[in-house]
């Protein structure tokens, strides 16, 4: 590959590359940013700017950039056996070892992995196999999935349908049939006068109302992100998930935790189910499973579900060419080895996450910030026009939602910091290896971006 200058690359990009989740016409005019290198918590763009990546790529680069061991694990596996499938009564060693490792790491009896290339495909897998699970037990009508409005479960037909993003549903005729949604737990906007723990119960009981409305004999599963990432890092009160679990058990509805963002240490625990204290029947994994170094997703099933699928399910009519691709599973194993050997999750929990939480709450004192929420290494700053307005109006959003977030994001970038904005929430999800000194840098740059945003708004 010959290296081209930035301008030429941008022109070729505009002419030939459709970007996901982007206004492609606007982007073509502006010119895309081209990233060229990464090391630890930093990335460099083609213009030579060094950026502190407080978003870990896309919630995924948990061990940080530039880990040679991961490249070496891929190279070694590619040279030895680049590919073999897991159809035809075959498989490969790293794939078996990863399945066993995931069984060991995930909670309770989530002991069975089905591999895919992405989180979206893992959720497609879950939709099909859970419906199959009920069908082979003579309950074919127990096929409804309940998700949340504004939830995110990926972009395939099933993933986008399970999610509750209205803008996504509009494109392509979604949701597909027999998927319903309840309102998400978002205390800041929706909590009214309730304290968070009371509100958590109220929000969870929306599930019970929906199950009773549809009939428990129709509801196959509830799916949720333990912390709702893409919509703006909605962290539910601690009462929410245990109550959701109680309701699922009461009506024999399977509980699916989409841990694509939360898994592999994001909350300071290996999985958010550990953080919130609940036990899912099925779990979606991707992103942090390889720290983003190579694509891989997995659906984890507990003994009950996997047992029925194996013993009553007949031949599973489902799978991808690359289910359990040995290069991807070898990289995932090495990524998990790094997380374990270097005690990265433990260090977050004991040291860096509490420090980040302290500095994040200091950012909450900024006049633009209505709420600074954080759990472990994932958080958000909710930007509001008038945080000191009395009562509920202090939780009001900007009229033209999204503009201020975008402005703040651009100010951060100009100061060498990558934060994501959803509407007017600034989202945080740094590599888990971020140091205290880098957390201080993150604080300084974010504070500066908030000041510059406020100045430009005349606030
Ligand atoms: C990113 C994401 C997905 C989709 O994963 P892809 O690998 O992009 O298909 C699913 N669920 C959640 C919670 C996610 O954040």
């Amino acid at each position: 590959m010959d290296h081209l200058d930035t301008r030429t690359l941008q022109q070729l990009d505009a002419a030939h590359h459709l970007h996901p989740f982007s206004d492609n016409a606007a982007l073509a005019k502006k010119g895309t940013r081209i990233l060229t290198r990464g090391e630890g918590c930093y990335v460099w763009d083609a213009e030579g700017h060094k950026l502190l990546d407080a978003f870990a790529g896309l919630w995924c680069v948990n061990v940080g950039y530039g880990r040679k061991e991961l490249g070496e694990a891929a190279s070694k596996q590619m040279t030895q056996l680049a590919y073999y499938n897991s159809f035809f009564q075959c498989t490969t060693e790293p794939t078996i070892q990863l399945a066993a490792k995931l069984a060991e790491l995930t909670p309770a009896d989530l002991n069975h992995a089905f591999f895919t290339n992405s989180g979206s495909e893992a959720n497609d897998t879950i939709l099909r196999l859970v419906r199959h699970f009920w069908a082979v037990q003579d309950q074919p009508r127990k096929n409804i999935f309940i998700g949340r409005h504004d939830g995110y479960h990926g972009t395939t037909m099933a993933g986008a349908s399970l999610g509750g993003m209205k803008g996504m549903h509009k494109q392509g005729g979604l949701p597909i049939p027999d998927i319903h949604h309840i309102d998400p737990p978002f205390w800041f906007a929706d909590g009214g006068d309730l304290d968070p723990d009371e509100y958590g119960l109220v929000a969870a009981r929306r599930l019970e109302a929906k199950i009773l409305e549809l009939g428990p004999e129709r509801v196959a599963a509830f799916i949720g992100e333990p912390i709702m990432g893409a919509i703006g890092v909605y962290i539910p009160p601690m009462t929410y998930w245990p109550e959701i679990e109680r309701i699922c058990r009461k009506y024999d509805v399977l509980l699916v935790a989409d841990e694509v963002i939360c898994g592999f240490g994001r909350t300071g625990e290996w999985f958010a189910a550990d953080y919130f204290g609940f036990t899912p029947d099925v779990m979606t994994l991707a992103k942090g499973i390889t720290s983003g170094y190579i694509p891989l997703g997995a659906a984890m099933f507990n003994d009950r579900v996997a047992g029925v699928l194996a013993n009553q399910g007949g031949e599973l009519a489902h799978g991808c060419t690359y289910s359990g691709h040995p290069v991807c599973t070898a990289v995932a194993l090495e990524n998990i080895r790094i997380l374990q050997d270097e005690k990265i999750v433990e260090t977050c929990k004991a040291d860096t996450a509490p420090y980040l939480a302290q500095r994040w709450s200091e950012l909450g004192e900024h006049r633009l910030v209505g709420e600074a929420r954080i759990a472990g290494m994932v958080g958000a700053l909710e930007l509001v026009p008038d945080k000191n307005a009395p009562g509920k109006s202090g939780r009001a959003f900007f009229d033209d939602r999204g503009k201020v977030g975008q402005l703040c994001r651009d100010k951060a970038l100009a100061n060498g910091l990558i934060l994501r904005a959803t509407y007017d929430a600034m989202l945080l999800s740094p590599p888990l290896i971020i140091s205290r000194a880098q957390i201080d840098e993150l604080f300084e740059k974010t504070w500066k971006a908030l000041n510059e945003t406020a100045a430009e708004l005349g606030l």
Side-chain angles (χ1 to χ4, degrees):
M1 187 177 81
D2 294 330
H3 282 294
L4 303 172
D5 66 81
T6 305
R7 198 65 209 116
T8 309
L9 285 169
Q10 287 173 327
Q11 283 165 355
L12 289 172
D13 188 70
H16 303 296
H17 180 196
L18 280 172
H19 287 245
F21 286 106
S22 303
D23 176 339
N24 278 277
L27 180 62
K29 244 186 246 152
K30 188 173 168 201
T32 184
R33 180 184 298 272
I34 299 161
L35 283 302
T36 54
R37 189 161 76 82
E39 189 68 45
C41 292
Y42 297 92
V43 291
W44 283 259
D45 69 15
E47 318 279 45
H49 298 116
K50 179 184 180 183
L51 303 165
L52 175 60
D53 183 6
F55 203 61
L58 195 42
W59 325 89
C60 57
V61 189
N62 289 11
V63 300
Y65 296 92
R67 292 297 305 235
K68 296 207 167 38
E69 304 94 313
L70 295 175
E72 281 156 12
S75 162
K76 191 164 162 248
Q77 185 61 44
M78 276 189 188
T79 314
Q80 190 186 316
L81 179 65
Y83 173 74
Y84 207 78
N85 63 61
S86 296
F87 300 9
F88 314 141
Q89 307 186 338
C90 295
T91 193
T92 55
E93 177 167 356
T95 298
I96 298 171
Q97 288 210 23
L98 180 62
K101 186 52 123 180
L102 294 175
E104 173 199 319
L105 287 174
T106 51
D109 64 344
L110 287 158
N111 287 330
H112 313 268
F114 190 101
F115 292 111
T116 63
N117 304 291
S118 67
S120 303
E121 287 173 358
N123 282 329
D124 277 53
T125 298
I126 289 166
L127 181 83
R128 290 194 64 202
L129 296 191
V130 164
R131 284 179 172 173
H132 186 52
F133 163 84
W134 290 115
V136 298
Q137 296 176 97
D138 294 326
Q139 296 188 71
R141 277 172 43 76
K142 199 167 167 74
N143 69 340
I144 292 178
F145 269 62
I146 300 174
R148 272 98 50 93
H149 296 298
D150 293 330
Y152 187 81
H153 299 294
T155 58
T156 50
M157 296 294 274
S161 295
L162 293 168
M165 299 277 186
K166 288 195 182 58
M168 292 175 72
H169 287 177
K170 267 192 223 150
Q171 298 178 0
L174 302 180
I176 57 175
D178 291 321
I179 294 178
H180 292 254
H181 300 87
I182 58 172
D183 281 336
F186 186 31
W187 179 80
F188 177 75
D190 185 40
D193 297 325
L194 298 176
D195 73 44
D197 279 347
E198 286 172 318
Y199 171 72
L201 295 175
V202 168
R205 286 172 192 158
R206 292 169 184 159
L207 175 61
E208 185 157 30
K210 182 59 87 177
I211 291 171
L212 292 172
E213 174 197 323
L214 296 164
E217 73 288 352
R218 291 289 329 270
V219 182
F222 173 73
I223 183 168
E225 304 156 82
I227 292 170
M228 296 174 73
I231 189 58
V233 185
Y234 295 178
I235 303 168
M238 293 306 282
T239 49
Y240 182 79
W241 280 105
E243 181 67 4
I244 289 280
E245 178 173 21
R246 185 191 67 76
I247 293 164
C248 286
R249 300 290 167 245
K250 182 171 172 190
Y251 299 103
D252 201 13
V253 165
L254 293 180
L255 177 49
V256 185
D258 182 339
E259 296 246 10
V260 169
I261 288 175
C262 292
F264 301 94
R266 181 56 55 200
T267 62
E269 302 283 350
W270 274 86
F271 298 94
D274 304 320
Y275 182 89
F276 288 111
F278 72 102
T279 306
D281 301 294
V282 183
M283 200 183 256
T284 322
L285 303 174
K287 294 195 170 110
I289 193 172
T290 59
S291 285
Y293 277 64
I294 201 160
L296 180 69
M300 293 299 296
F301 296 97
N302 69 4
D303 288 343
R304 177 190 177 198
V305 178
V308 168
L309 291 174
N311 299 314
Q312 295 165 247
E315 180 180 322
L316 284 187
H318 184 73
C320 322
T321 304
Y322 300 141
S323 287
H325 192 296
V327 177
C328 304
T329 51
V331 171
L333 277 171
E334 183 64 7
N335 175 58
I336 292 168
R337 185 200 64 72
I338 290 172
L339 285 168
Q340 287 190 310
D341 284 3
E342 299 181 9
K343 300 201 182 328
I344 290 172
V345 183
E346 290 86 340
T347 303
C348 283
K349 184 175 178 174
D351 184 48
T352 43
Y355 185 62
L356 179 63
Q358 178 200 321
R359 304 251 53 193
W360 203 242
S361 75
E362 288 171 47
L363 290 168
E365 287 159 24
H366 195 279
R367 64 188 178 283
L368 267 187
V369 179
E371 184 184 62
R373 43 183 185 266
I374 193 160
M377 288 281 173
V378 58
L381 301 174
E382 193 70 52
L383 309 189
V384 296
D386 185 6
K387 72 186 280 181
N388 295 317
K392 282 178 207 166
S393 48
R395 299 189 200 152
F397 298 114
F398 287 100
D399 289 337
D400 190 3
R401 276 188 87 187
K403 245 182 127 168
V404 175
Q406 203 57 42
L407 178 62
C408 186
R409 194 195 81 109
D410 291 345
K411 297 289 181 199
L413 262 179
N415 285 304
L417 172 69
I418 299 177
L419 287 172
R420 174 174 174 181
T422 298
Y423 295 116
D424 300 314
M426 307 311 299
L427 312 190
L428 170 79
S429 168
L432 303 183
I433 53 153
I434 192 168
S435 67
R436 280 175 169 248
Q438 288 162 343
I439 290 170
D440 290 337
E441 182 187 342
L442 165 71
F443 173 88
E444 302 296 338
K445 290 186 160 151
T446 307
W447 190 266
K448 190 155 179 268
L450 290 169
N451 277 346
E452 291 176 8
T453 304
E456 193 154 325
L457 294 170
L459 288 172

